[in-house]
Amino acid sequence: MAELQKDPITRSDFLGLGVIGAVMGTILTIPPVAFVLTPLIKTEVEGESDVLRTWERVDHVANIPEGEPVSYVIEFPIRQTYGDDRIQEESGVSQQEFTVRNGVWVSWRDGQPPEVLGGIGEGDEVSRDQIEELTQHLNVMNSTCAHLGCPVRWVAEVEELLCPCHGGLYDINGEHIGGPPPRDLYRYTFEIREDGFIYITHEFDGDPYIV
Amino acid sequence: MIGRVKAQTVETGKLLADWIEDRTGAVSMMEKFLYEPVPKRGAWLYTLGSATLFLIVLQFLTGILLLFYYVPTVDHAWNSVYYIMNEAYFGQLIRGIHYWSANFLMAVIGLHMARTFFSGAYKAPRELNWVVGVVLFLLVIVLAFTGYLLRWDQDGFWASVVGIKIGSYSPFIGGYVVNFLIGGDVIGPATLSRFFAIHVWLLPAILAPLIGVHLYLLRRHGEFGSEFEYTERLAKLKERQRLEEYERRYGLGEEEEERRE
Ligand code: HEM
Ligand code: FES
């Protein structure tokens, strides 16, 4: 220690160096940190989303069976770095359409289709009342487990949705009945339109973080 | 004739070594780097550190080779790995080494840590080397984690989803952690780009100099239990045994006296 003090600095020098150091440090730190955190700032602070708020068609209600859920893979267009549609259009280089692929399970509540479904076939116009009735009986769930996000599958023998990763269990309505998941499967915001088709958008009852 | 050639070669060799030693000090440096007293007992366990180093060097070499063909974009990553596996000569070997060496690395680095722990080699004055070692260990874990997504196949993808989502359970900042890691609010082009940047640039760039520090600190204090410390500890043990023996006799004498009284 003694040697370090051979060339003592005065209090004001020390303060001056400290202030200059702090200012320089801040100036040098902000650009790289903000650069790396861009997506975080855009999504968390500015509330932007990479997923375009489109409505994607899933299937006709008449195709949802009794007693078991059916799975679909639905793609939502996204904009993210080089996948950004504006950038792609301007550069004209990439032909690839960038999407996020979601696994979707659709089932009737408790596996029981509502009465009104009986008279509806593909091509029929569906009335408002029927839509209301159908909507109340439909489960449209994201297939990633509410625990750590593995895709769940239907095991017909036990009539449960089973997660292969840590044994999370859900019933046909996506309600959590066992294993580590802290909640039920995430549900999509969906609508049934007059043509009888189910449409979903990338919006959930809660924040699933990664889908 | 042969004898003369041999003598001449040895002579030139010596000259060359002397010449290099004169200008660079490389020869004495080599001696310093290559020779290190190691305790006799459990000597094999002391090779675990070198095994770790060997595997990390393998990772660097095969990783750099993979980069000749690997393309870190969502539309090409899988295809480029497929090319490495099916078209590039020895592609399966190079990628296989990178894959298996990564796996063995986790095991070997764990064993190396266990050896250090159980032999007490983390104690003064080697505490800082333990700290550096722990940082190295964490870096290697993150390397293994980020590397797995680069394959961009079902295995790597879902394993990464699970890994990233573990971060969502961090108190208060869960959402931020996830969005930082995936570079947005869904896994997409940004995710692969940043995992690539972290795997191939950021972490190796931190890892390499830290390995240097680790080795420097190792040489500064020597291998724990090396010759000197060993004899010292042995001497201490002998001294303690001598004292105990003395005390036993003396104490026994006292007890005898008490009993007789
Ligand atoms: C301690 C060091 C490292 C570990 C533990 C590690 C681990 C991994 C793992 C587990 C994978 C996935 C491989 C597979 O499943 O096939 C991977 C892929 C990859 N790594 Fe590394 N790695 C390390 C260092 C490096 C370095 C230094 C580079 C380049 C400078 C590199 C470049 C790559 C590339 C380009 C891939 C993608 C190709 C592929 O998936 O086979 N790695 N790494
Ligand atoms: S991810 Fe489904 S139980 Fe853990």
Side-chain angles (χ1 to χ4, degrees), chain B residues 154-202:
Chain B
Q154 292 293 327
D155 266 4
F157 185 91
W158 290 107
S160 303
V161 166
V162 169
I164 295 168
K165 218 176 158 182
I166 289 174
S168 77
Y169 286 83
S170 346
F172 308 117
I173 54 162
Y176 293 90
V177 171
V178 172
N179 288 6
F180 168 71
L181 283 174
I182 65 184
D185 59 358
V186 288
I187 292 191
T191 318
L192 185 57
S193 290
R194 42 186 55 210
F195 272 59
F196 180 73
I198 293 170
H199 186 79
V200 170
W201 286 108
L202 182 64

Coordinates of all heavy atoms in Angstrom, one line a residue, chain B residues 154-202:
Chain B
Q154 N -35.6 -30.7 -34.1 CA -36.6 -30.9 -33.1 C -36.0 -31.0 -31.7 O -36.4 -30.4 -30.7 CB -37.5 -32.1 -33.4 CG -38.4 -31.9 -34.6 CD -39.5 -30.8 -34.3 OE1 -40.0 -30.6 -33.2 NE2 -39.8 -30.1 -35.4
D155 N -34.9 -31.9 -31.6 CA -34.3 -32.1 -30.3 C -33.7 -30.8 -29.8 O -34.1 -30.4 -28.6 CB -33.1 -33.0 -30.5 CG -33.4 -34.4 -30.3 OD1 -34.6 -34.7 -30.0 OD2 -32.5 -35.3 -30.4
G156 N -32.9 -30.1 -30.6 CA -32.3 -28.9 -30.1 C -33.3 -27.8 -29.8 O -33.2 -27.1 -28.8
F157 N -34.3 -27.7 -30.6 CA -35.3 -26.7 -30.5 C -36.1 -26.8 -29.1 O -36.1 -25.9 -28.3 CB -36.3 -26.7 -31.6 CG -37.3 -25.6 -31.6 CD1 -37.0 -24.5 -32.3 CD2 -38.5 -25.8 -30.9 CE1 -38.0 -23.4 -32.3 CE2 -39.4 -24.7 -30.9 CZ -39.2 -23.6 -31.6
W158 N -36.6 -28.0 -28.9 CA -37.4 -28.2 -27.7 C -36.6 -28.2 -26.4 O -37.0 -27.7 -25.4 CB -38.3 -29.4 -27.8 CG -39.3 -29.3 -28.8 CD1 -39.4 -29.8 -30.0 CD2 -40.5 -28.4 -28.7 NE1 -40.5 -29.4 -30.7 CE2 -41.2 -28.5 -30.0 CE3 -40.9 -27.5 -27.8 CZ2 -42.3 -27.7 -30.2 CZ3 -42.1 -26.8 -28.0 CH2 -42.8 -26.9 -29.2
A159 N -35.4 -28.7 -26.5 CA -34.5 -28.7 -25.3 C -34.2 -27.2 -25.0 O -34.2 -26.8 -23.8 CB -33.2 -29.4 -25.6
S160 N -34.1 -26.4 -26.0 CA -33.8 -25.0 -25.8 C -35.0 -24.3 -25.2 O -34.9 -23.4 -24.4 CB -33.3 -24.3 -27.0 OG -32.2 -24.9 -27.5
V161 N -36.2 -24.6 -25.8 CA -37.5 -24.0 -25.2 C -37.5 -24.3 -23.7 O -37.8 -23.4 -22.9 CB -38.7 -24.6 -25.9 CG1 -40.0 -24.3 -25.2 CG2 -38.8 -24.1 -27.3
V162 N -37.3 -25.5 -23.3 CA -37.4 -25.9 -21.9 C -36.3 -25.1 -21.1 O -36.6 -24.5 -20.1 CB -37.2 -27.4 -21.7 CG1 -37.0 -27.7 -20.2 CG2 -38.4 -28.2 -22.2
G163 N -35.1 -25.0 -21.7 CA -34.0 -24.3 -21.0 C -34.3 -22.8 -20.8 O -34.2 -22.3 -19.8
I164 N -34.8 -22.2 -21.9 CA -35.1 -20.8 -21.9 C -36.3 -20.6 -20.9 O -36.3 -19.6 -20.1 CB -35.5 -20.3 -23.3 CG1 -34.3 -20.4 -24.2 CG2 -36.0 -18.8 -23.2 CD1 -34.7 -20.1 -25.7
K165 N -37.3 -21.5 -20.9 CA -38.4 -21.2 -20.1 C -38.1 -21.4 -18.6 O -38.9 -20.8 -17.8 CB -39.6 -22.2 -20.5 CG -40.9 -21.4 -20.4 CD -42.1 -22.2 -20.9 CE -43.3 -21.6 -20.3 NZ -44.5 -22.3 -20.6
I166 N -37.1 -22.1 -18.3 CA -36.7 -22.2 -16.9 C -36.4 -20.8 -16.4 O -36.7 -20.4 -15.3 CB -35.4 -23.1 -16.7 CG1 -35.8 -24.5 -16.9 CG2 -34.8 -22.9 -15.3 CD1 -34.7 -25.5 -16.9
G167 N -35.8 -19.9 -17.3 CA -35.5 -18.6 -17.0 C -36.8 -17.7 -16.7 O -36.7 -16.8 -15.9
S168 N -37.9 -18.2 -17.2 CA -39.2 -17.4 -17.0 C -39.6 -17.5 -15.5 O -40.5 -16.7 -15.1 CB -40.3 -17.9 -17.9 OG -40.8 -19.1 -17.4
Y169 N -39.0 -18.4 -14.8 CA -39.4 -18.6 -13.4 C -38.5 -17.7 -12.4 O -38.7 -17.7 -11.2 CB -39.3 -20.0 -12.9 CG -40.5 -20.9 -13.5 CD1 -40.4 -21.4 -14.7 CD2 -41.6 -21.1 -12.7 CE1 -41.5 -22.2 -15.2 CE2 -42.7 -21.9 -13.2 CZ -42.6 -22.4 -14.5 OH -43.6 -23.1 -15.0
S170 N -37.6 -17.0 -13.0 CA -36.8 -16.1 -12.1 C -37.7 -15.0 -11.6 O -38.6 -14.5 -12.3 CB -35.7 -15.4 -12.9 OG -35.5 -15.9 -14.2
P171 N -37.6 -14.8 -10.3 CA -38.5 -13.8 -9.6 C -38.3 -12.4 -10.3 O -37.2 -12.0 -10.6 CB -38.1 -13.8 -8.2 CG -36.8 -14.5 -8.1 CD -36.7 -15.4 -9.3
F172 N -39.4 -11.8 -10.5 CA -39.5 -10.4 -11.0 C -39.1 -10.2 -12.5 O -39.7 -9.5 -13.2 CB -38.7 -9.4 -10.1 CG -39.1 -9.5 -8.7 CD1 -38.2 -9.9 -7.7 CD2 -40.4 -9.3 -8.3 CE1 -38.5 -10.0 -6.4 CE2 -40.8 -9.4 -6.9 CZ -39.8 -9.8 -6.0
I173 N -37.9 -10.8 -12.9 CA -37.4 -10.5 -14.2 C -37.6 -11.6 -15.2 O -37.0 -11.6 -16.2 CB -35.9 -10.1 -14.1 CG1 -35.1 -11.3 -13.4 CG2 -35.7 -8.8 -13.4 CD1 -33.6 -11.2 -13.7
G174 N -38.5 -12.6 -14.8 CA -38.7 -13.8 -15.7 C -38.9 -13.4 -17.1 O -38.2 -13.9 -18.0
G175 N -39.9 -12.6 -17.3 CA -40.2 -12.2 -18.7 C -39.1 -11.6 -19.4 O -38.8 -11.8 -20.6
Y176 N -38.3 -10.7 -18.7 CA -37.2 -10.0 -19.4 C -36.1 -11.0 -19.8 O -35.5 -10.9 -20.8 CB -36.6 -9.0 -18.4 CG -37.5 -7.9 -18.1 CD1 -38.3 -7.9 -17.0 CD2 -37.4 -6.7 -18.9 CE1 -39.2 -6.8 -16.7 CE2 -38.2 -5.6 -18.6 CZ -39.1 -5.7 -17.5 OH -39.9 -4.6 -17.3
V177 N -35.9 -12.0 -18.9 CA -34.9 -13.0 -19.2 C -35.2 -13.7 -20.5 O -34.4 -13.9 -21.4 CB -34.7 -14.0 -18.0 CG1 -33.8 -15.2 -18.4 CG2 -34.2 -13.4 -16.8
V178 N -36.5 -14.2 -20.6 CA -36.9 -14.9 -21.8 C -36.8 -14.0 -23.0 O -36.2 -14.4 -24.0 CB -38.4 -15.4 -21.6 CG1 -38.9 -16.0 -22.9 CG2 -38.5 -16.4 -20.5
N179 N -37.3 -12.8 -22.9 CA -37.3 -11.9 -24.1 C -35.9 -11.6 -24.5 O -35.6 -11.4 -25.7 CB -38.1 -10.7 -23.9 CG -39.6 -11.0 -23.9 OD1 -40.0 -12.1 -24.0 ND2 -40.4 -10.0 -23.8
F180 N -35.0 -11.5 -23.6 CA -33.6 -11.2 -23.9 C -33.0 -12.4 -24.6 O -32.3 -12.3 -25.7 CB -32.8 -10.9 -22.6 CG -31.3 -10.9 -22.8 CD1 -30.7 -9.9 -23.6 CD2 -30.5 -12.0 -22.4 CE1 -29.4 -9.9 -23.8 CE2 -29.2 -12.0 -22.6 CZ -28.6 -11.0 -23.4
L181 N -33.3 -13.6 -24.1 CA -32.7 -14.8 -24.7 C -33.2 -15.1 -26.1 O -32.5 -15.4 -27.0 CB -32.9 -16.0 -23.8 CG -32.0 -16.1 -22.6 CD1 -32.5 -17.3 -21.7 CD2 -30.6 -16.3 -23.0
I182 N -34.5 -14.9 -26.3 CA -35.1 -15.2 -27.6 C -35.1 -14.0 -28.5 O -35.4 -14.2 -29.7 CB -36.5 -15.9 -27.5 CG1 -37.5 -15.0 -27.0 CG2 -36.5 -17.2 -26.7 CD1 -38.9 -15.6 -26.8
G183 N -34.7 -12.9 -28.0 CA -34.6 -11.7 -28.9 C -35.9 -11.3 -29.5 O -36.0 -10.9 -30.7
G184 N -36.9 -11.2 -28.6 CA -38.2 -10.8 -29.1 C -39.2 -11.5 -28.3 O -38.9 -11.9 -27.1
D185 N -40.5 -11.7 -28.8 CA -41.4 -12.4 -27.9 C -41.8 -13.8 -28.5 O -42.6 -14.5 -28.0 CB -42.7 -11.6 -27.6 CG -43.4 -11.1 -28.8 OD1 -42.9 -11.4 -29.9 OD2 -44.4 -10.4 -28.7
V186 N -41.2 -14.2 -29.6 CA -41.3 -15.6 -30.1 C -39.9 -16.1 -30.6 O -39.0 -15.2 -30.9 CB -42.3 -15.7 -31.3 CG1 -43.7 -15.6 -30.8 CG2 -41.9 -14.8 -32.4
I187 N -39.7 -17.4 -30.6 CA -38.5 -17.9 -31.1 C -38.5 -17.7 -32.6 O -39.4 -18.1 -33.3 CB -38.3 -19.4 -30.7 CG1 -38.1 -19.5 -29.2 CG2 -37.1 -20.0 -31.5 CD1 -37.7 -20.9 -28.8
G188 N -37.4 -17.2 -33.1 CA -37.4 -16.9 -34.6 C -36.0 -16.6 -35.0 O -35.0 -17.0 -34.3
P189 N -35.8 -15.9 -36.1 CA -34.5 -15.6 -36.6 C -33.6 -14.9 -35.6 O -32.4 -15.3 -35.5 CB -34.8 -14.6 -37.8 CG -36.1 -14.8 -38.2 CD -36.9 -15.3 -37.0
A190 N -34.1 -14.0 -34.8 CA -33.3 -13.3 -33.8 C -32.7 -14.3 -32.8 O -31.6 -14.1 -32.3 CB -34.1 -12.3 -33.1
T191 N -33.5 -15.3 -32.4 CA -33.1 -16.3 -31.4 C -31.8 -17.0 -31.9 O -30.8 -17.1 -31.2 CB -34.2 -17.3 -31.1 OG1 -35.4 -16.6 -31.0 CG2 -33.9 -18.0 -29.8
L192 N -31.9 -17.5 -33.1 CA -30.8 -18.3 -33.6 C -29.6 -17.4 -33.7 O -28.4 -17.8 -33.3 CB -31.1 -18.9 -35.0 CG -30.1 -19.8 -35.6 CD1 -29.8 -21.0 -34.6 CD2 -30.6 -20.4 -36.9
S193 N -29.8 -16.1 -34.2 CA -28.6 -15.2 -34.3 C -27.9 -15.0 -33.0 O -26.7 -15.0 -32.9 CB -29.1 -13.9 -34.9 OG -29.5 -14.0 -36.2
R194 N -28.7 -14.7 -32.0 CA -28.0 -14.4 -30.7 C -27.4 -15.7 -30.1 O -26.3 -15.6 -29.5 CB -28.9 -13.6 -29.7 CG -30.3 -14.0 -29.5 CD -31.0 -13.0 -28.6 NE -30.9 -11.6 -29.1 CZ -30.8 -10.5 -28.4 NH1 -30.9 -10.6 -27.1 NH2 -30.7 -9.4 -28.9
F195 N -28.1 -16.8 -30.2 CA -27.4 -18.0 -29.7 C -26.1 -18.3 -30.4 O -25.1 -18.7 -29.8 CB -28.4 -19.2 -29.8 CG -29.3 -19.3 -28.6 CD1 -30.1 -18.3 -28.2 CD2 -29.2 -20.5 -27.8 CE1 -30.9 -18.4 -27.1 CE2 -30.0 -20.6 -26.7 CZ -30.9 -19.6 -26.3
F196 N -26.1 -18.0 -31.7 CA -24.9 -18.2 -32.5 C -23.8 -17.2 -32.0 O -22.7 -17.6 -31.7 CB -25.2 -18.0 -33.9 CG -24.0 -18.1 -34.8 CD1 -23.5 -19.4 -35.1 CD2 -23.4 -17.0 -35.4 CE1 -22.4 -19.6 -35.9 CE2 -22.3 -17.2 -36.2 CZ -21.8 -18.5 -36.5
A197 N -24.2 -16.0 -31.8 CA -23.2 -15.0 -31.4 C -22.6 -15.3 -30.0 O -21.4 -15.3 -29.8 CB -23.9 -13.6 -31.3
I198 N -23.5 -15.8 -29.1 CA -23.1 -16.1 -27.8 C -22.2 -17.4 -27.8 O -21.1 -17.4 -27.2 CB -24.3 -16.4 -26.9 CG1 -25.0 -15.1 -26.7 CG2 -23.8 -16.9 -25.5 CD1 -26.3 -15.2 -26.0
H199 N -22.6 -18.4 -28.6 CA -21.9 -19.7 -28.7 C -20.5 -19.5 -29.3 O -19.5 -20.1 -28.9 CB -22.7 -20.7 -29.4 CG -22.1 -22.1 -29.3 ND1 -22.2 -22.9 -28.2 CD2 -21.4 -22.8 -30.2 CE1 -21.6 -24.0 -28.5 NE2 -21.1 -24.0 -29.7
V200 N -20.5 -18.8 -30.4 CA -19.3 -18.8 -31.2 C -18.3 -17.6 -31.0 O -17.1 -17.8 -31.2 CB -19.7 -18.9 -32.7 CG1 -18.5 -18.7 -33.6 CG2 -20.4 -20.2 -33.0
W201 N -18.9 -16.5 -30.5 CA -18.0 -15.4 -30.3 C -17.9 -15.0 -28.8 O -16.8 -15.0 -28.3 CB -18.5 -14.2 -31.1 CG -18.2 -14.4 -32.5 CD1 -19.1 -14.6 -33.5 CD2 -16.9 -14.3 -33.1 NE1 -18.4 -14.8 -34.7 CE2 -17.1 -14.6 -34.5 CE3 -15.6 -14.1 -32.6 CZ2 -16.0 -14.6 -35.4 CZ3 -14.5 -14.2 -33.5 CH2 -14.7 -14.4 -34.9
L202 N -19.0 -14.7 -28.2 CA -18.9 -14.1 -26.8 C -18.2 -15.1 -25.9 O -17.2 -14.7 -25.2 CB -20.3 -13.8 -26.4 CG -20.4 -13.1 -25.0 CD1 -19.7 -11.8 -25.0 CD2 -21.8 -13.0 -24.5

